[in-house]
Amino acid sequence: LRYQHHKIKKSGGRVLVSKVLSYFTLERDSRMKAKPIWAVTKSATRKMVKPQFTSLSRNVEHISVGSKCQSWSRHATSAVQTRLYHATRPGPVGDDRISAPRAAAAVGLLPTYLADARAVEQYSPSTPNGALQLSVAENQMLEDLLVPSLTEFSSTQAFPADAIYYQPTQGRESVRKAMAGYLEEMLNLSKPMDEDGIVVGAGCNAVLENLCISLAEPGEGVMIPTPYYAAFEFDLVARAGLSISPVTTMEYQDFDRESNIIPHEAYYPNRASLDAAVERSLANGVNPRILLLSHPQNPLGICYPPEVVSEIIEWCREKKIHLVSDEIYAGSVYRDDANFVSALELASTGDDQALGLGPYIHLVYALSKDFALSGLRVGALYSENPEIRLPLQKLNDLCCISSHTQLLVEKMLTTASDDPNVSWTKRFRAKSHERLRKRGDAWHSTLDELGIPYLKGTAGLFVWMDFQEFLPANGSDDERERELYLELLKEFGLLFTPGVSMKNEKPGFFRCVFTAASDEEFDLGMERLRKYVHAKRS
């Protein structure tokens, strides 16, 4: 133990613990083989954390993995740090510990607003004063389009004999072919995808986790432009043991800082912001290996312009940092002026027969948002990196989609509409876009009526709103925003996603998911927002 500790201390703590702390047997008991268990925590100190045994109990040795650990601040200059819990002894019968510490640590990564949402009474016809859930990114406007079609697909889809046996871990060949055809059409790709580069798994978070495990070691960094989807921290840290390195943008963009409205451009990453994020990450002892881009952007509800994405692609290739483009909302681009172009199209360098992305460009997608099918758990990833294809297939064995669901999805993706020249998926998206525009326009009109600044959404299911006007005067930024958030929730029954959970650079911003309600609930939400604003200004 002293020898292993000395090796870590001598290296300044900047070696991969998984390489140093190999399995070993304690002399006291040949049965007590230590096994590393990854867990996570948010550091609350700015000083250098030196590797040391902080506990020598018979059950757990808690070894801090060295690096500069900055405090978890709104300005997002810190990283989610990984720690190693090292079990040294199986507990005897009757041991008080009935769970592993990493389990509680994983739960601690979830945003606190989820617990707030569970703690209040939800709106329903029988509880009319309950809170309206406008924070979960689900589309509840499509049941009448989906349920009859899915019922028909299920009843007309034959169940082949081979579907009762073990399936290819990366997905049935016919399903991957159907997914490739759908993505090529939906993303408007000019060149075909390689079907062998597609893996379908149980949801976007599952395939994203597997992809990042294949690209980076525990403790290495995933850079994400802010604000970002709050659950990325859970998805990439809880089991993969990666470290999140936020990319702030406003300091590196030129816009009118005296204006009450923050423009779209303020949120665009560029070379300067990416270089600065790398420097901060390295200063924290974290080597960045991945840049995760949400495109279209969640929570902003906008698309990055092609020139912004092209600059990011060029930068990633120069730095040999993997770009993972999360395009889960690509089929929910509902305005003609959105100017969305997939990162796959922009990164393509191949001939007419292949995209030619190279080893550093990757895509993740799912049916959860565009088709409101979050319950089916169907995600997909695409990569042309030859070194990770076999690992991705084997890792996906832990999150395969059932053959029954794969057959249903294949049927859905390959069925024509009542016009044999138009696919069912394309006709469905057109109807979905019409409803998204209508809802989005209604919420935008209410915000205009009330004089609340916001980003005009062009994609996704949400609107990014600026409530800085209503922030309390006293307290830290986080305390002021939380007080405002709880006031909206408990006194006016409006449950929005707070910006602090998404590491926004400024306090007082909220995401409203305008699709997460019935028509009646949506109308009630606009009325409650009017009451709130009038009450505050009076």
Side-chain angles (χ1 to χ4, degrees):
L1 285 171
R2 292 194 188 96
Y3 172 71
Q4 300 288 353
H5 179 211
H6 173 72
K7 286 186 71 176
I8 299 178
K9 187 173 182 180
K10 186 176 180 180
S11 68
R14 297 191 181 186
V15 296
L16 286 175
V17 176
S18 58
K19 291 185 178 180
V20 176
L21 289 176
S22 56
Y23 290 174
F24 57 90
T25 303
L26 299 179
E27 293 180 359
R28 290 183 302 166
D29 191 334
S30 61
R31 296 174 302 163
M32 299 190 306
K33 293 187 177 181
K35 297 182 179 181
I37 304 172
W38 283 101
V40 296
T41 187
K42 293 175 182 176
S43 173
T45 175
R46 287 184 176 273
K47 62 184 180 181
M48 176 71 77
V49 179
K50 294 183 178 180
Q52 56 185 325
F53 294 111
T54 58
S55 170
L56 289 176
S57 68
R58 66 178 183 178
N59 293 322
V60 175
E61 288 177 8
H62 188 178
I63 304 171
S64 298
V65 182
S67 67
K68 285 185 178 179
C69 299
Q70 295 191 354
S71 64
W72 190 250
S73 68
R74 167 173 297 281
H75 299 291
T77 57
S78 61
V80 177
Q81 301 293 323
T82 56
R83 287 187 179 181
L84 180 69
Y85 284 91
H86 211 66
T88 60
R89 179 186 181 104
V93 175
D95 188 1
D96 290 339
R97 184 167 69 84
I98 62 172
S99 68
R102 64 174 176 176
V107 174
L109 287 167
L110 294 170
T112 56
Y113 77 85
L114 295 177
D116 295 330
R118 289 191 295 269
V120 298
E121 185 177 63
Q122 300 289 314
Y123 173 85
S124 71
S126 60
T127 55
N129 295 322
L132 290 167
Q133 172 60 272
L134 298 172
S135 66
V136 176
E138 285 191 321
N139 191 339
Q140 297 188 16
M141 305 189 298
L142 303 173
E143 288 182 14
D144 62 313
L145 300 178
L146 281 168
V147 176
S149 295
L150 292 175
T151 302
E152 181 182 353
F153 296 152
S154 298
S155 63
T156 58
Q157 173 65 54
F159 196 86
D162 69 338
I164 68 174
Y165 301 110
Y166 287 121
Q167 304 294 295
T169 55
Q170 68 270 37
R172 293 172 65 89
E173 182 179 0
S174 57
V175 175
R176 290 185 286 111
K177 181 178 181 180
M179 183 64 74
Y182 167 71
L183 290 174
E184 288 166 6
E185 178 272 319
M186 187 265 294
L187 298 176
N188 197 26
L189 301 181
S190 58
K191 300 167 188 174
M193 302 176 81
D194 179 0
E195 295 165 18
D196 290 336
I198 291 179
V199 176
V200 293
C204 195
N205 53 357
V207 296
L208 174 63
E209 181 188 52
N210 286 345
L211 177 59
C212 291
I213 285 174
S214 301
L215 297 175
E217 290 290 324
E220 291 187 317
V222 180
M223 303 166 59
I224 314 179
T226 61
Y228 56 73
Y229 168 56
F232 276 148
E233 294 171 5
F234 179 86
D235 295 345
L236 301 178
V237 180
R239 296 190 304 186
L242 300 173
S243 185
I244 305 299
S245 298
V247 180
T248 56
T249 60
M250 293 187 183
E251 180 182 350
Y252 309 96
Q253 289 288 358
D254 185 18
F255 62 96
D256 184 2
R257 301 177 190 278
E258 302 301 321
S259 172
N260 292 329
I261 300 176
I262 297 179
H264 293 61
E265 310 84 68
Y267 297 100
Y268 296 164
N270 57 19
R271 283 182 173 273
S273 61
L274 294 172
D275 287 339
V278 169
E279 291 180 9
R280 286 196 303 269
S281 186
L282 293 174
N284 289 334
V286 176
N287 181 32
R289 295 286 296 167
I290 299 167
L291 173 62
L292 176 56
L293 194 69
S294 178
H295 176 55
Q297 218 278 356
N298 175 14
L300 300 179
I302 62 174
C303 303
Y304 292 119
E307 61 271 18
V308 171
V309 180
S310 293
E311 182 179 13
I312 292 170
I313 291 169
E314 183 180 352
W315 181 88
C316 284
R317 283 173 167 161
E318 287 178 7
K319 303 294 184 181
K320 293 182 170 54
I321 288 177
H322 293 277
L323 173 63
V324 177
S325 186
D326 178 355
E327 302 188 6
I328 194 171
Y329 292 100
S332 296
V333 179
Y334 56 88
R335 296 197 191 278
D336 295 336
D337 60 352
N339 201 17
F340 170 78
V341 181
S342 171
L344 297 192
E345 180 67 16
L346 294 169
S348 177
T349 60
D351 54 25
D352 292 340
Q353 302 304 314
L355 283 171
L357 301 179
Y360 292 105
I361 310 299
H362 320 270
L363 172 100
V364 292
Y365 179 75
L367 304 182
S368 304
K369 310 303 181 182
D370 296 342
F371 292 93
L373 293 176
S374 53
L376 262 61
R377 308 310 301 142
V378 178
L381 69 83
Y382 181 74
S383 176
E384 295 182 356
N385 184 327
E387 292 189 8
I388 65 173
R389 283 195 172 178
L390 181 59
L392 285 173
Q393 293 173 14
K394 299 308 177 184
L395 285 169
N396 205 60
D397 195 23
L398 302 173
C399 54
C400 288
I401 308 170
S402 75
S403 58
H404 184 272
T405 300
Q406 290 190 56
L407 291 168
L408 173 62
V409 169
E410 179 186 346
K411 183 76 171 181
M412 183 185 81
L413 296 180
T414 56
T415 295
S417 65
D418 51 8
D419 181 346
N421 297 317
V422 179
S423 67
W424 179 88
T425 56
K426 192 169 186 178
R427 178 67 58 83
F428 173 86
R429 291 202 314 272
K431 294 178 180 178
S432 173
H433 293 170
E434 182 180 349
R435 297 183 183 188
L436 288 169
R437 278 193 299 273
K438 183 178 179 180
R439 276 281 181 98
D441 288 345
W443 195 263
H444 291 167
S445 296
T446 302
L447 295 173
D448 288 333
E449 169 196 329
L450 298 172
I452 296 177
Y454 64 94
L455 287 185
K456 182 180 179 181
T458 60
L461 316 177
F462 20 76
V463 175
W464 188 242
M465 309 178 298
D466 180 355
F467 278 41
Q468 291 184 93
E469 171 190 351
F470 308 112
L471 284 168
N474 300 318
S476 67
D477 284 351
D478 289 0
E479 290 169 344
R480 294 161 65 214
E481 181 173 296
R482 179 159 179 80
E483 184 177 338
L484 170 56
Y485 162 72
L486 292 176
E487 180 183 42
L488 285 162
L489 173 60
K490 295 184 176 181
E491 297 183 29
F492 292 86
L494 292 169
L495 178 53
F496 300 133
T497 313
V500 66
S501 70
M502 299 182 162
K503 305 300 177 288
N504 193 49
E505 295 183 55
K506 292 179 176 292
F509 287 74
F510 294 86
R511 183 188 73 168
C512 170
V513 183
F514 56 77
T515 61
S518 65
D519 290 340
E520 175 193 356
E521 292 167 347
F522 180 72
D523 292 340
L524 179 59
M526 291 190 291
E527 185 57 32
R528 287 184 177 182
L529 182 60
R530 291 186 182 97
K531 289 182 179 179
Y532 170 77
V533 173
H534 294 156
K536 295 296 289 186
R537 288 176 178 164
S538 63

